[in-house]
Amino acid sequence: MRESAVQRHDRLLTLVREHGTARVTDLAARLGVSPVTVRRDVETLTRKGLVERAHGSVSWPRPRTGEAGAGGLGARPVLGLLAPSATYYFAEVIHGAHEAAARAGARLVLRISDYRPEGDRTRAEGLLAAGAEGLLIAPGWRDRADPAEHGGWLAGLPVPAVLLERTADPGGPLAALDRVCSDHAHGVLLALRHLAGQGHAAPVLVARADSPTALAVRTGYDEALRALGLERPHPVIDAPAGRDPEGFERGVQALWTAVTAGRVTAALVHNDVDAIQLVQRLAELGIRVPGELALVAYDDEVAALADTPLTAVAPPKREVGRLATELLLERLRGRAGGGASGGPGTVPGDGLEGGAGDGTGGRAEPAPRRHLALLPRLRVRASCGAAEARAARG
């Protein structure tokens, strides 16, 4: 497979970073391309401020006057962000991170994994080669086995890192990483409690199983049913619109059967796109929302734009990006000052670090690692009014 320009830039940056200064001709030989190609790459990277060019050689940028030296937090720190997508849900997370970085005078560099977790490590190394002093990471995990299979490298990162919208198994190697997530279990509870308050029995869950958010919604559904003392009315329905047309139609038919049989009067649907297409297909089959079925969507990206605006659970996506960036910058400041560190050879927050009064010479203890869970909101719109419709019909 032909190497992309981005991959070549990452390799070039790695070589310059390792050697400090390198000749264009030497870089061309190491990269296996022509000197003309390297000069063009160097011009691109120089415009971005990632390298310095002079007299046929390329150098790693030197700290400006007043900036911290190597390993410190400079006047304009570089943060790397690895996300599985730059659209839909993660667009807001990225916006929040970018806003927080801009306010702090930091530069944010983005890499997209397209939900291919096997390439996450290489992309993170590319961010480090581009000068990232800390990383915001939302791995491209899709199922429950991915963290164990594709996430072990995260524990050995040489810079501070914060997980975004991802959790880790308690006691596992990633549990000691800082993380900022939406509390999806709370979001599901809000939806089910609202529908129960509208007079419905337990809603059915319509949800995929191909992303960490979808899996968290499924887990949160069972927890919410227990908390509210409700019995599951129907097995979880998988109706993946777009990705699997036949599977989507099977899900639609299962929901139609449950509604027409009188077993289900309300549904929670993850995500907005699936919910909108589900409502459209049910209407073709004679099931109206909210007339025969009250519906709440999960994500609130496009729910308000449906023909019948959909009530939706809205995870605080932009705040996740903002707070994660602020936490990472705090870690970098602590690192520059000799405090909290995310460097190699340490397990952050494992309780083994020395501190004042413990025989370690009075060194300051690193700040405790943090697991921040932000609560979603429920935005009530027109799609959950089935209870009122039934009352009107007598």
Side-chain angles (χ1 to χ4, degrees):
M1 182 182 294
R2 184 177 179 182
E3 183 180 47
S4 70
V6 171
Q7 292 171 322
R8 191 174 62 250
H9 291 173
D10 288 344
R11 287 207 294 142
L12 189 156
L13 287 167
T14 298
L15 290 170
V16 176
R17 189 183 190 194
E18 289 174 351
H19 296 281
T21 299
R23 295 180 59 81
V24 168
T25 53
D26 294 337
L27 289 170
R30 294 288 296 275
L31 295 171
V33 296
S34 70
V36 172
T37 298
V38 172
R39 291 190 188 97
R40 187 164 56 241
D41 291 344
V42 168
E43 288 177 5
T44 299
L45 297 173
T46 299
R47 287 196 299 270
K48 295 180 178 180
L50 298 177
V51 297
E52 294 178 353
R53 179 184 57 178
H55 307 299
S57 65
V58 186
S59 300
W60 195 251
R62 291 164 293 183
R64 300 181 183 88
T65 303
E67 289 191 13
L73 183 60
R76 193 175 186 229
V78 179
L79 310 180
L81 171 56
L82 175 61
S85 170
T87 60
Y88 195 68
Y89 190 103
F90 273 95
E92 282 294 292
V93 177
I94 293 167
H95 285 321
H98 182 260
E99 290 169 356
R103 281 196 298 270
R107 179 168 173 260
L108 190 68
V109 181
L110 178 65
R111 288 283 193 281
I112 303 299
S113 73
D114 196 27
Y115 286 97
R116 294 188 176 96
E118 64 276 5
D120 281 345
R121 182 172 188 167
T122 299
R123 292 182 180 89
E125 290 171 349
L127 288 168
L128 295 175
E133 302 166 59
L135 296 177
L136 301 161
I137 300 180
W141 300 335
R142 298 187 73 98
D143 60 49
R144 298 187 191 279
D146 281 343
E149 186 174 352
H150 300 294
W153 60 274
L154 286 161
L157 284 168
V159 298
V162 179
L163 284 178
L164 291 169
E165 292 289 30
R166 300 291 186 261
T167 60
D169 292 333
L174 308 186
L177 288 173
D178 287 313
R179 67 178 184 240
V180 181
C181 305
S182 299
D183 188 339
H184 296 302
H186 180 79
V188 173
L189 180 62
L190 290 178
L192 267 60
R193 180 183 289 153
H194 176 74
L195 290 168
Q198 294 281 86
H200 297 280
V204 65
L205 175 64
V206 181
R208 301 183 179 203
D210 60 355
S211 74
T213 300
L215 294 172
V217 167
R218 283 174 170 248
T219 300
Y221 176 68
D222 290 332
E223 295 174 358
L225 290 176
R226 287 194 295 270
L228 297 172
L230 300 174
E231 295 291 331
R232 184 190 288 220
H234 191 280
V236 175
I237 295 172
D238 190 355
R243 178 174 60 82
D244 180 5
E246 292 183 358
F248 175 70
E249 185 61 25
R250 285 194 299 271
V252 169
Q253 293 297 329
L255 183 55
W256 179 87
T257 299
V259 173
T260 55
R263 297 195 301 271
V264 166
T265 62
L268 171 63
V269 183
H270 178 273
N271 53 45
D272 290 5
V273 174
D274 287 359
I276 289 174
Q277 295 192 49
L278 188 70
V279 170
Q280 293 170 350
R281 182 69 183 108
L282 287 173
E284 294 171 356
L285 297 173
I287 300 295
R288 296 171 301 147
V289 171
E292 284 75 38
L293 179 72
L295 187 143
V296 176
Y298 200 101
D299 274 358
D300 202 32
E301 285 291 314
V302 293
L305 304 180
D307 288 347
T308 299
L310 304 181
T311 295
V313 176
K317 300 174 283 287
R318 189 172 292 233
E319 288 79 4
V320 166
R322 178 179 64 80
L323 287 174
T325 302
E326 291 174 355
L327 176 54
L328 181 59
L329 288 166
E330 181 180 326
R331 292 297 181 212
L332 289 171
R333 284 191 290 268
R335 196 183 195 209
S341 172
T346 64
V347 179
D350 63 2
L352 300 179
E353 300 93 338
D358 62 1
T360 60
R363 294 194 302 271
E365 283 193 17
R369 297 289 145 173
R370 296 184 212 167
H371 293 171
L372 304 182
L374 308 187
L375 302 185
R377 295 185 176 92
L378 181 70
R379 292 175 176 155
V380 178
R381 302 187 182 100
S383 67
C384 57
E388 291 86 349
R390 286 198 309 274
R393 289 197 299 269

